[in-house]
Amino acid sequence: MSIVKINALTVPEESRDLVEQRFAARQHAVDHAAGFEGFELLRPVKGEDRYFVVTRWKDEESFAAWRDGDAHTAHAQQEGEEPRKPAATGAELLEFEVVLESSPSKN
């Protein structure tokens, strides 16, 4: 069964556009990582003020390999780029195993 990692980001109102722009700029950076199954960036609308960065992985080993390898590259400052001020003021990693699932493409 797949696993899901959710990075819950606390983002001040004035930084929301910046967060979305940064994720859009590297939207497909993880697509080719071994065991990667999907990504979603969820914007808060009602009842929550944090953004959720949801990733789905084949297994814990795939996530760990990406986290300990390519994730550092994806988040690293590029050569010649101005230092970036963090847009989020806090983050919490939530971790889940998929127990049941249903979608039109899998039925």
Side-chain angles (χ1 to χ4, degrees):
M1 276 284 166
S2 298
I3 63 164
V4 175
K5 304 292 183 173
I6 301 173
N7 196 3
L9 302 177
T10 302
V11 179
E13 186 76 35
E14 65 272 10
S15 297
R16 287 183 168 195
D17 286 342
L18 180 58
V19 163
E20 292 181 25
Q21 291 169 6
R22 286 182 179 173
F23 274 97
R26 63 177 198 254
Q27 180 176 353
H28 297 285
V30 69
D31 286 1
H32 299 292
F36 175 73
E37 297 178 346
F39 158 86
E40 293 176 307
L41 176 63
L42 306 180
R43 177 191 303 134
V45 178
K46 182 178 179 182
E48 180 63 58
D49 61 354
R50 297 177 295 174
Y51 275 77
F52 290 109
V53 182
V54 181
T55 57
R56 187 178 181 115
W57 299 87
K58 174 184 166 195
D59 52 36
E60 184 66 34
E61 293 76 21
S62 297
F63 171 75
W66 173 80
R67 179 197 62 215
D68 298 339
D70 290 343
H72 293 293
T73 304
H75 291 93
Q77 183 176 321
Q78 301 300 312
E79 187 176 327
E81 184 179 54
E82 292 290 320
R84 292 187 288 183
K85 178 183 169 192
T89 59
E92 176 185 7
L93 183 63
L94 310 172
E95 303 179 81
F96 302 88
E97 290 181 332
V98 176
V99 179
L100 297 171
E101 82 178 283
S102 178
S103 67
S105 63
K106 296 186 181 200
N107 291 335

